[in-house]
Amino acid sequence: MTEPTGLRARKKARTHDAIADAAISLFLARGFDQVSVNDIAATAEVSKPTLFRYFATKEDLVLHRFADHNGEAARVVRARQPGDSPLTALHRHFRAGLDRHDPVTGLNDHPEVVAFHRLVFGTPSLAGRLTRYLLDDEEALAGALGPGIEARLRAAQVLAVQRVLARTNWQKIADGRTAPEVHPEAVADADQAFAQLRSGTGGTTHHGS
Amino acid sequence: MTEPTGLRARKKARTHDAIADAAISLFLARGFDQVSVNDIAATAEVSKPTLFRYFATKEDLVLHRFADHNGEAARVVRARQPGDSPLTALHRHFRAGLDRHDPVTGLNDHPEVVAFHRLVFGTPSLAGRLTRYLLDDEEALAGALGPGIEARLRAAQVLAVQRVLARTNWQKIADGRTAPEVHPEAVADADQAFAQLRSGTGGTTHHGS
DNA sequence: GTTACTGGGTTAAAAAAGCAACCTGGTCAT
DNA sequence: ATGACCAGGTTGCTTTTTTAACCCAGTAAC
């Protein structure tokens, strides 16, 4: 199961990281629009075509971290334990993210993470493209939940709820509070949110239907 | 006059250095014959064919430092000031090497350099190949000195003398003395050696003959 | 109102690197 | 002596990267 660690793969990963690191650090230092892709390529010591072979657009240089999580909700649903409803699995997964202070939950007070979030939400083109990622995620989740309009609706609701939860947590962090301090509220909010989702669906859709 | 520093050239230089550094440090740690080229390639994180694209033989992994100086004597002669004899130019150059403790003069007491010399002279295949480098150097110097057998003879004598000087200096260092301490003797030895060379040739061959 | 620059993104060709398989010459068992 | 193995070095093929040139959109200068 171990993916082959040849020279090629190792160097590819390093190049990817070098580009991403150069991009993020330049963006954080000077702002998204004040950095050209040429600057990034130069800093990462790769050519421009190489940069675009690793990242399709300038925005993706920032958003690949979210892209890595793409389809995660769908995966969680598909990999859930027999007997668990999709919502239960998603709830557990979000809760686990909270516990490990996963940045995607908004519950992370590392200065770098906070600055990163400010960068994303403070740059229109980034925030814009981020929503497109969410749409993909939503579509995948819908596919995992089943066919028909009902699944799509529920998928949209779930992701909307998660977005609000993350945004709420991030806001509290941005106001200067610490992650451990906010954690209990975040858990309570999540519990309430998922309970509300469940009431809407009745929680009737179980595995192996 | 600045040589173009493109990405390609920079990365090539880095790869070259990475291989050379990996090789030297492994050789110093375990000895020439106890290290395989596979080890070196793995440590430098390149493939074996790549290693051999940069260095023709395993020996060259050690000797490229000498190879870099290849043809130096010839260059010195060709670039000498008008009015200087070849011997004067070579003498001045050797003297300058002494003053800056250039490792090729043997007058360098840095532990790494000493260990490097011990490696070279203590490994037959290395010492052997080193003489081949000297032969190339000799041929180039002969070409710079002029045509005919006379130039060849003088070239051979010059390089032989330099080799003895370097070896003498190195021996004193190997005996535990410091480079600054040995420096005056080294200068005196060089002066005497070049004086002797001059007496043999009469020093009559001047620039712009 | 062109002209010219800048920035995001692409293309084609050539250099460089990786990989796997091979050749050769030694050494060491059986 | 035969066969297996290892180390130095090579070969052919594929993937990756560089390079330089280009396209298109905005925008500042004249």
Side-chain angles (χ1 to χ4, degrees):
Chain A
M1 209 67 212
T2 68
E3 61 231 30
T5 306
L7 267 181
R8 208 119 80 184
R10 235 182 309 161
K11 293 192 174 179
K12 249 180 107 155
R14 270 215 271 278
T15 301
H16 179 99
D17 292 353
I19 296 172
D21 290 352
I24 301 271
S25 86
L26 286 177
F27 286 152
L28 289 179
R30 317 213 298 254
F32 187 75
D33 294 320
Q34 278 56 248
V35 178
S36 79
V37 294
N38 284 305
D39 296 338
I40 298 165
T43 302
E45 301 204 280
V46 298
S47 66
K48 197 163 59 147
T50 296
L51 184 153
F52 280 109
R53 263 175 22 82
Y54 280 85
F55 299 91
T57 70
K58 188 184 181 186
E59 283 77 25
D60 287 329
L61 286 165
V62 179
L63 298 180
H64 76 280
R65 295 186 178 180
F66 294 95
D68 290 348
H69 290 245
N70 228 341
E72 188 163 296
R75 266 195 305 281
V76 165
V77 168
R78 275 190 230 275
R80 88 195 107 120
Q81 311 251 355
D84 275 1
S85 76
L87 271 186
T88 304
L90 288 167
H91 187 183
R92 229 199 307 270
H93 181 254
F94 190 85
R95 169 67 196 263
L98 246 26
D99 290 348
R100 96 179 87 88
H101 292 180
D102 189 323
V104 299
T105 64
L107 192 65
N108 188 305
D109 54 10
H110 284 50
E112 189 202 317
V113 173
V114 174
F116 178 76
H117 276 146
R118 185 154 37 228
L119 171 68
V120 172
F121 297 126
T123 308
S125 64
L126 286 178
R129 183 144 175 112
L130 181 54
T131 67
R132 269 211 43 221
Y133 279 93
L134 285 183
L135 288 188
D136 293 348
D137 218 16
E138 197 172 300
E139 195 168 344
L141 177 56
L145 287 179
I149 187 67
E150 193 189 346
R152 306 219 110 168
L153 291 174
R154 268 187 291 149
Q157 290 177 36
V158 168
L159 291 197
V161 155
Q162 289 194 356
R163 209 179 59 239
V164 168
L165 289 174
R167 195 77 203 225
T168 302
N169 292 332
W170 176 66
Q171 189 57 55
K172 292 176 181 168
I173 298 288
D175 287 347
R177 305 176 55 193
T178 74
E181 179 188 342
V182 173
H183 182 266
E185 306 169 23
V187 170
D189 287 350
D191 286 349
Q192 183 188 336
F194 277 94
Q196 183 190 321
L197 281 172
R198 224 177 301 268
S199 79
T201 69
T204 50
T205 306
H206 282 253
H207 207 84
S209 70
Chain B
M1 210 71 208
T2 67
E3 61 230 31
T5 305
L7 266 182
R8 200 116 86 189
R10 234 182 309 161
K11 292 191 175 179
K12 253 182 102 152
R14 268 215 272 280
T15 302
H16 179 99
D17 293 354
I19 296 172
D21 291 351
I24 300 270
S25 85
L26 285 178
F27 287 152
L28 289 179
R30 317 213 297 254
F32 187 74
D33 294 320
Q34 278 55 249
V35 178
S36 79
V37 296
N38 284 306
D39 296 338
I40 298 165
T43 303
E45 302 204 280
V46 299
S47 67
K48 196 163 57 149
T50 295
L51 185 153
F52 280 109
R53 251 181 241 118
Y54 279 85
F55 299 92
T57 70
K58 188 186 182 186
E59 283 77 25
D60 287 329
L61 286 165
V62 179
L63 298 179
H64 77 281
R65 295 186 177 180
F66 295 95
D68 290 349
H69 290 246
N70 229 341
E72 187 162 297
R75 266 194 305 280
V76 165
V77 168
R78 276 191 228 275
R80 89 195 105 119
Q81 311 250 352
D84 276 1
S85 76
L87 271 185
T88 304
L90 287 167
H91 186 182
R92 229 201 302 274
H93 182 254
F94 190 84
R95 168 69 197 262
L98 247 26
D99 291 348
R100 96 180 85 88
H101 292 181
D102 189 322
V104 298
T105 65
L107 191 65
N108 189 306
D109 55 9
H110 284 51
E112 189 203 316
V113 174
V114 174
F116 178 76
H117 276 147
R118 185 156 35 230
L119 171 68
V120 171
F121 298 125
T123 308
S125 63
L126 286 178
R129 184 145 175 110
L130 181 53
T131 68
R132 271 211 45 221
Y133 278 95
L134 284 183
L135 288 188
D136 294 348
D137 218 16
E138 197 172 300
E139 195 169 343
L141 177 55
L145 287 179
I149 187 67
E150 194 190 343
R152 305 220 108 156
L153 291 174
R154 268 187 293 150
Q157 290 176 35
V158 168
L159 290 197
V161 155
Q162 289 194 356
R163 208 179 60 239
V164 169
L165 289 173
R167 195 78 201 226
T168 302
N169 293 332
W170 175 66
Q171 190 58 55
K172 291 176 181 169
I173 299 288
D175 287 347
R177 305 176 55 194
T178 73
E181 179 187 344
V182 174
H183 182 267
E185 306 169 23
V187 170
D189 288 349
D191 287 349
Q192 183 188 336
F194 276 95
Q196 183 191 318
L197 281 173
R198 224 178 302 269
S199 80
T201 69
T204 52
T205 306
H206 283 253
H207 207 86
S209 69

